[in-house]
Amino acid sequence: MQKTLLVGLAHPDDEVGAAGTILAQRARGDRVVVVWLTRGEMTEALGPIPTAEVAARREEQGRRAGEILGVETRFMDFADCSIDANPESAHRVARLVAEIRPDALLTWGDAWGRGMRHPDHQASGKIFRDAITLARIAKVVGPGQPHRAPVPVFTYRGAHSTLPAVAVDVEPFREQIHELGRFYRENIGFGNAEWIDRRLRVTGEPYGLRYAEVFDAWETRGGIVPSLLPAELDDGEVQHPDREAGA
């Protein structure tokens, strides 16, 4: 049965850090939907042009990145560098989650390194994680239908994380990862090939993999996997029960 992976991020180009994992999921024949909360309009990489023009160009870049990865792409209209993880934001994203009906979420987590700790990254991760729960509530997502199926969460892994780690073998997708990197390097100066290769090698080494991407597994077991989905919930944790019929 086809699965759906929701990748919830802040800016176009955030997906570079999960490109191999996205491609691995697509190789299974699964659906991947990448959602960016902003258009990344605060970047100075495009020169001194109006913010509206930057936003339009960045949105086009996101669409092209989606074509390279073979995924669906969506943009929301949050303001770059001003994302606020408040209830209103989570409710808005919950309605989108209920529409997409994902089987897992990949998003930003808590991080300490420069870049990863960008306020938008931290806020967008919280919004998407909150939205997964809020999407279960009919009065939040109405008139749409609530999405009450389990949606295990995976997040970009920071250097000091103590959560279980799940490592995805991305060696088969190295060329496509670099294609995405080249695209962004040509357009915004981000995606150096040597940096990408080094990151994948260093990440994979502890797992005996030549190239890997590693994420925090919030509700599933850690270990080496070919793709994030299908995912089994950790049976060592007692899961929250579903409401009984008629209650």
Side-chain angles (χ1 to χ4, degrees):
M1 184 179 297
Q2 187 187 59
K3 301 291 186 179
T4 296
L5 175 65
L6 170 59
V7 182
L9 303 168
H11 319 104
D13 75 41
D14 287 354
E15 74 282 3
V16 171
T21 298
I22 291 170
L23 290 161
Q25 206 64 59
R26 287 292 296 129
R28 266 184 37 93
D30 291 328
R31 177 189 182 211
V32 179
V33 184
V34 179
V35 176
W36 298 287
L37 293 189
T38 83
R39 289 166 172 77
E41 66 272 11
M42 294 296 282
T43 184
E44 298 177 19
L46 302 181
I49 61 176
T51 300
E53 185 176 344
V54 176
R57 290 194 192 181
R58 295 283 273 151
E59 186 168 353
E60 180 56 36
Q61 289 171 10
R63 278 194 284 266
R64 176 65 186 125
E67 291 173 356
I68 292 171
L69 296 172
V71 303
E72 299 175 36
T73 58
R74 310 273 189 99
F75 278 95
M76 299 192 75
D77 60 357
F78 289 78
D80 188 12
C81 293
S82 298
I83 300 176
D84 188 2
N86 57 39
E88 179 184 357
S89 299
H91 281 227
R92 287 182 60 195
V93 175
R95 289 189 282 272
L96 182 62
V97 169
E99 176 196 334
I100 294 171
R101 311 189 79 76
D103 296 290
L105 167 69
L106 174 57
T107 188
W108 287 102
D110 296 323
W112 297 265
R114 186 175 69 87
M116 289 187 72
R117 67 170 183 257
H118 188 302
D120 279 358
H121 297 167
Q122 304 295 292
S124 62
K126 178 169 171 47
I127 289 169
F128 276 102
R129 297 193 305 268
D130 289 350
I132 290 297
T133 295
L134 292 172
R136 298 173 57 87
I137 302 172
K139 291 180 180 178
V140 170
V141 302
Q145 292 298 308
H147 180 50
R148 293 183 174 136
V151 183
V153 172
F154 302 91
T155 57
Y156 283 119
R157 186 171 180 84
H160 307 294
S161 176
T162 58
L163 288 169
V166 59
V168 182
D169 182 357
V170 300
E171 183 173 4
F173 312 104
R174 183 166 168 259
E175 287 305 314
Q176 289 164 282
I177 295 169
H178 280 293
E179 181 182 356
L180 182 67
R182 284 192 299 272
F183 169 72
Y184 276 121
R185 183 171 175 80
E186 291 168 2
N187 283 277
I188 60 171
F190 170 74
N192 178 277
E194 290 74 19
W195 173 80
I196 289 175
D197 249 7
R198 181 175 182 276
R199 181 180 61 83
L200 297 176
R201 288 197 308 270
V202 169
T203 300
E205 186 175 0
Y207 303 92
L209 299 173
R210 291 184 63 191
Y211 301 95
E213 292 170 349
V214 179
F215 306 96
D216 285 335
W218 287 50
E219 298 153 273
T220 59
R221 297 189 192 92
I224 301 171
V225 297
S227 57
L228 294 182
L229 286 169
E232 293 185 12
L233 295 176
D234 187 350
D235 58 13
E237 179 180 347
V238 178
Q239 301 294 326
H240 191 283
D242 290 328
R243 187 177 60 204
E244 295 180 9

